[in-house]
Amino acid sequence: MTAKIIDGTAIAGEVRANVAKDVAARVDKGLPVPGLATVLVGENPASQVYVRMKQKACEKAGIKSFGYNLPADISQAELETLVSELNANPEINGILVQLPLPKGLDEERVLNSISLEKDVDGFHPVNIGRLAQKGRKSLFVPCTPDGVIYLLDQTGVQLQGASAVVLGRSNIVGMPVALLLVERDATVTICHSRTKNLAEVCRSADVLVAAVGRPEMVRRDWVKPGAVVIDVGVNRVEDASLEKGYKLVGDVAFDEVKDVASAITPVPGGVGPMTIAMLLRNTVKAADIADRN
Ligand code: NDP
């Protein structure tokens, strides 16, 4: 079997084009242009790149972006004061605090200080808590996990009753992906660094989501023939043949697994592009919520 390659770049492109249309439709109706505030603390190079990408994507979609670059030694109180100001600013519909924060800052308190209606990253403890409760709806779902489910839906994967295995239990990917799969009536197993017989557990999955941050850990014999494999991992591995000296690979050995899976996301070009697309969508949703308040 050769797997269908799930084209995250194309699917994210469609989402972004729809967001741009929604923004234009708002402007036509005389509604305010949606605004996203990005808060970057310190000088983590990867975070700087992510924030720039998010700001550029906003511009392309017609969303206003407001950048706040703060020194790594900012105090907890100063950071929370900025978030309060952004909460009160009607031009700003979404607030994104780029994680991880530098050591010494209390991430949970900062996330908790973001207004629920502006929590476009979906990491506010109340939004996450609602995700974990049956019958409750969070206002916003974290963007990467939301993108994973969107890709599965676009691929026509039946989640109800499916056996799903999520590799990884982080707050930003593994756990919310697992909660979303449960919400969609899949039967979910969550694996982590203490899981025994990992390969065997993975082999039981109809849908396997890998989010561990270990290059090409999932091998061909970890995957049930016909399973759908979503690879969230983004890992740099050395490659002297390339000018930049490295290449990006996922948590799944793509070349092996594509011969057993029925569908698989590549890295890059799979889940990665979905994160920003879902962030833009959430920002327009936040603007729609603001119109009603
Ligand atoms: P974390 O390091 O926060 O979490 C990794 C998880 O994997 C943990 O739950 C850990 O277990 C588990 N784990 C680690 N090693 C093993 C192992 N050998 N066997 C079994 N489980 C293991 O990572 P993130 O969730 O933040 O990210 C995961 C991957 O996804 C990374 O490659 C990251 O770059 C990528 N990513 C991609 C995004 C995108 O495409 N937009 C966005 C965010 C992340 P334990 O809990 O026991 O420590």
Side-chain angles (χ1 to χ4, degrees):
M1 176 182 295
T2 299
K4 171 189 163 66
I5 310 299
I6 303 171
D7 187 345
T9 306
I11 295 171
E14 285 162 22
V15 172
R16 286 169 64 158
N18 285 333
V19 167
K21 271 191 214 149
D22 290 346
V23 172
R26 285 182 59 86
V27 173
D28 283 349
K29 280 192 231 158
L31 292 167
V33 173
L36 175 72
T38 54
V39 179
L40 176 62
V41 187
E43 286 173 6
N44 177 328
S47 293
Q48 286 172 332
V49 171
Y50 291 141
V51 165
R52 258 200 311 275
M53 283 165 67
K54 288 167 187 175
Q55 290 170 338
K56 264 197 186 155
C58 278
E59 272 166 40
K60 277 196 179 161
I63 293 171
K64 263 195 234 166
S65 84
F66 301 81
Y68 296 85
N69 293 346
L70 309 169
D73 62 357
I74 191 171
S75 71
Q76 181 81 24
E78 285 170 310
L79 182 53
E80 287 181 29
T81 301
L82 171 67
V83 172
S84 304
E85 286 165 10
L86 300 176
N87 283 338
N89 183 340
E91 276 198 283
I92 287 168
N93 301 111
I95 302 169
L96 178 142
V97 176
Q98 186 65 39
L99 303 178
L101 289 172
K103 282 206 175 70
L105 290 168
D106 183 335
E107 187 176 295
E108 188 178 349
R109 267 182 48 196
V110 174
L111 295 175
N112 207 19
S113 69
I114 297 173
S115 149
L116 267 187
E117 289 75 24
K118 298 192 177 189
D119 177 37
V120 287
D121 238 354
F123 292 140
H124 190 292
V126 170
N127 270 327
I128 291 287
R130 285 187 186 155
L131 197 61
Q133 290 175 314
K134 194 176 170 188
R136 307 254 164 94
K137 278 258 170 249
S138 46
L139 268 182
F140 297 101
V141 171
C143 301
T144 303
D146 202 13
V148 167
I149 301 295
Y150 195 90
L151 289 178
L152 288 167
D153 283 342
Q154 288 295 304
T155 310
V157 178
Q158 166 76 317
L159 292 175
Q160 191 176 48
S163 163
V165 172
V166 180
L167 262 174
R169 58 175 165 182
S170 72
N171 290 336
I172 60 165
V173 193
M175 192 55 80
V177 165
L179 293 170
L180 286 168
L181 287 166
V182 171
E183 190 188 45
R184 295 292 298 274
D185 295 327
T187 304
V188 180
T189 305
I190 303 171
C191 300
H192 45 77
S193 63
R194 302 287 180 271
T195 300
K196 288 183 182 150
N197 305 326
L198 205 50
E200 196 182 313
V201 177
C202 290
R203 230 174 2 251
S204 70
D206 302 317
V207 175
L208 178 61
V209 180
V212 276
R214 301 267 179 262
E216 302 184 322
M217 188 173 90
V218 176
R219 312 306 307 195
R220 181 193 174 103
D221 63 345
W222 292 34
V223 176
K224 177 161 85 178
V228 175
V229 179
I230 304 290
D231 189 355
V232 186
V234 182
N235 309 291
R236 272 187 186 200
V237 294
E238 276 183 32
D239 186 338
S241 70
L242 298 174
E243 201 180 313
K244 56 187 177 186
Y246 70 89
K247 62 176 178 175
L248 293 181
V249 299
D251 291 340
V252 176
F254 181 85
D255 287 337
E256 294 178 14
V257 172
K258 73 174 183 354
D259 293 336
V260 270
S262 62
I264 185 168
T265 56
V267 177
V271 175
M274 294 305 296
T275 302
I276 289 182
M278 301 328 254
L279 172 69
L280 299 180
R281 222 165 69 134
N282 278 351
T283 304
V284 176
K285 181 178 172 185
D288 292 343
I289 292 171
D291 295 340
R292 294 198 288 273
N293 290 338

